[in-house]
């Protein structure tokens, strides 16, 4: 398990963001500072120049503009370390909330999924969601304007994901494999449940799938949910949430002095809470919901609508209290009619939330099975 304090705090904020989404809280973006080794990267240099090329890998910077004007950066790794061009289909990697595409590049090349896929002949594409340090552009709005941050994860499913899918498909002329972690699974499941993106998709790998958020097991996480409401920070002028900023420092101070909360092992606190369904943003009252949705409550993303013949790989861990085992089972219950040869489920008892992207043995435990899954799809 990853053990640095930065990684621990990252995991806690995974919990925070997912809990806010589960509660219908409008999350306005969290600036990613992934770990002490990459947090000092200069966004103007880009991921290719800063992280990939220094290790001897070819890398291209791309941008795509969403229908609502956000300019997203994508990185393409068209070959492995050998320099031989990819001869396998494209793979799109989608990070979770609070982080960015560097998530897939943080460990050594033989331990990081992006490098491993490139070395195995796949055409690797790394996505960076709106508001992250490498995707701060917009066609008309400055990121210093509060309007820039006025969106929820619904927009990620409705605009960001379709834009990146379409771009990769157009650039390569091929349907693609998808890998999402944490919120990267949430937005994919939402889109798939609405029948979106399926015509460009070969298969989907969902690591730490987040769809049903019903189990709270940590008093630390309960403190996070009780103390943090994204709207409160928004109206106080905190449109962006930085891991290095005073908001996080004050939040942790307030949490750690609460009775019954032990901050000595923050990784044990990665958990989630509140609701047993996944729905669009709740505007807080029936009238506003009627205006936006034509109904008094937000529409639910129906997981049973995901096509039964869509190749899916679900990976989850027994020590992950965010993508809780019981909540993953609720998702699997909704996929009970899925074609048996199209659904692979991998459970790793000792894995927690961050291990799926940072674990030193994830290359063997997770990534080897993922590549085997790609080969048959």
């Amino acid at each position: 398990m990853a053990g640095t304090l930065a990684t621990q705090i990252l995991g806690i904020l995974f919990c925070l963001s997912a809990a806010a989404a589960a509660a219908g809280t409008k999350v306005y973006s969290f600036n990613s500072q992934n770990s002490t080794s990459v947090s000092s990267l200069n966004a103007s240099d880009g991921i290719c120049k800063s992280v990939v090329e220094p290790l001897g890998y070819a890398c291209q910077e791309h941008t795509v503009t969403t229908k609502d004007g956000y300019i997203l950066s994508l990185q393409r790794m068209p070959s492995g370390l050998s320099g031989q061009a990819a001869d396998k289909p494209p793979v799109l990697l989608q990070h979770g909330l609070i982080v960015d595409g560097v998530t897939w590049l943080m460990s050594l090349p033989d331990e990081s999924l992006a490098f491993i896929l490139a070395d195995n002949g796949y055409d690797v594409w790394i996505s960076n969601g709106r508001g992250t340090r490498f995707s701060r552009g917009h066609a008309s709005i400055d990121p210093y304007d509060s309007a820039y941050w006025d969106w929820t994860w619904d927009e990620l499913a409705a605009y960001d994901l379709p834009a990146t899918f379409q771009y990769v498909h157009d650039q390569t002329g091929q349907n693609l494999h998808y890998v999402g972690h944490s919120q990267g699974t949430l937005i994919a499941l939402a889109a798939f449940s609405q029948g979106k993106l399926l015509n460009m998709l070969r298969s989907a790998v969902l690591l730490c799938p987040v769809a049903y958020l019903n189990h709270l097991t940590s008093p630390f996480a309960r403190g996070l949910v009780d103390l943090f409401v994204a709207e409160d920070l928004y109206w106080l002028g905190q449109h962006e949430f930085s891991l290095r900023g005073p908001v996080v420092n004050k939040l942790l101070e307030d949490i750690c002095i609460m009775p019954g909360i032990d901050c000595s092992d923050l990784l044990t606190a990665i958990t989630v809470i509140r609701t047993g369904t996944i729905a669009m943003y709740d505007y807080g009252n029936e009238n506003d919901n009627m205006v936006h949705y034509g109904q008094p409550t937000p529409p639910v993303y129906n997981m049973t609508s995901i096509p039964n013949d869509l190749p899916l790989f679900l990976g989850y861990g027994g020590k992950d209290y965010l993508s809780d085992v019981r909540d993953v089972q609720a998702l699997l219950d909704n996929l009970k009619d899925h074609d048996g040869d199209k659904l692979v489920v991998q459970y790793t008892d000792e894995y927690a939330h961050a291990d799926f992207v940072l674990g030193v043995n994830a290359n063997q435990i997770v990534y080897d099975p993922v590549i085997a899954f790609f080969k048959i799809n």
Side-chain angles (χ1 to χ4, degrees), residues 198-342:
L198 302 175
N199 63 323
M200 295 180 283
L201 182 65
R202 287 177 178 266
S203 72
V205 172
L206 308 177
L207 303 178
C208 309
V210 176
Y212 294 92
L213 311 173
N214 202 36
H215 293 93
L216 176 65
T217 60
S218 164
F220 189 103
R222 186 180 296 279
L224 284 174
V225 176
D226 289 344
L227 285 180
F228 179 87
V229 180
E231 287 98 331
D232 293 341
L233 290 179
Y234 180 78
W235 294 116
L236 288 172
Q238 299 292 340
H239 314 302
E240 179 185 353
F241 198 58
S242 169
L243 290 179
R244 286 181 159 185
V247 177
V248 171
N249 293 337
K250 182 64 167 62
L251 174 66
L252 293 177
E253 289 174 3
D254 290 345
I255 292 284
C256 291
I257 62 174
M258 295 176 68
I261 293 179
D262 179 9
C263 290
S264 61
D265 184 10
L266 301 185
L267 276 176
T268 64
I270 305 175
T271 186
V272 74
I273 178 177
R274 288 220 182 169
T275 180
T277 60
I278 172 176
M280 294 183 180
Y281 176 65
D282 189 343
Y283 284 88
N285 62 77
E286 292 185 359
N287 289 337
D288 285 346
N289 283 332
M290 285 294 296
V291 169
H292 287 88
Y293 304 125
Q295 60 186 59
T297 58
V300 171
Y301 293 104
N302 185 0
M303 296 298 104
T304 63
S305 298
I306 295 174
N308 293 334
D309 60 351
L310 173 63
L312 292 176
F313 179 109
L314 273 64
Y316 67 111
K319 301 298 186 293
D320 186 345
Y321 302 109
L322 168 54
S323 181
D324 185 272
V325 171
R326 292 163 292 180
D327 291 326
V328 174
Q329 186 57 54
L331 173 60
L332 291 173
D333 289 344
N334 276 306
L335 298 175
K336 65 182 185 300
D337 294 327
H338 215 79
D339 294 352
D341 62 344
K342 298 296 184 181

Side-chain angles (χ1 to χ4, degrees), residues 102-122:
V102 178
T103 295
W104 307 104
L105 303 160
M106 289 176 66
S107 299
L108 296 172
D110 62 352
E111 298 173 355
S112 298
L113 183 57
F115 292 118
I116 291 171
L117 289 172
D119 284 332
N120 276 273
Y122 289 92

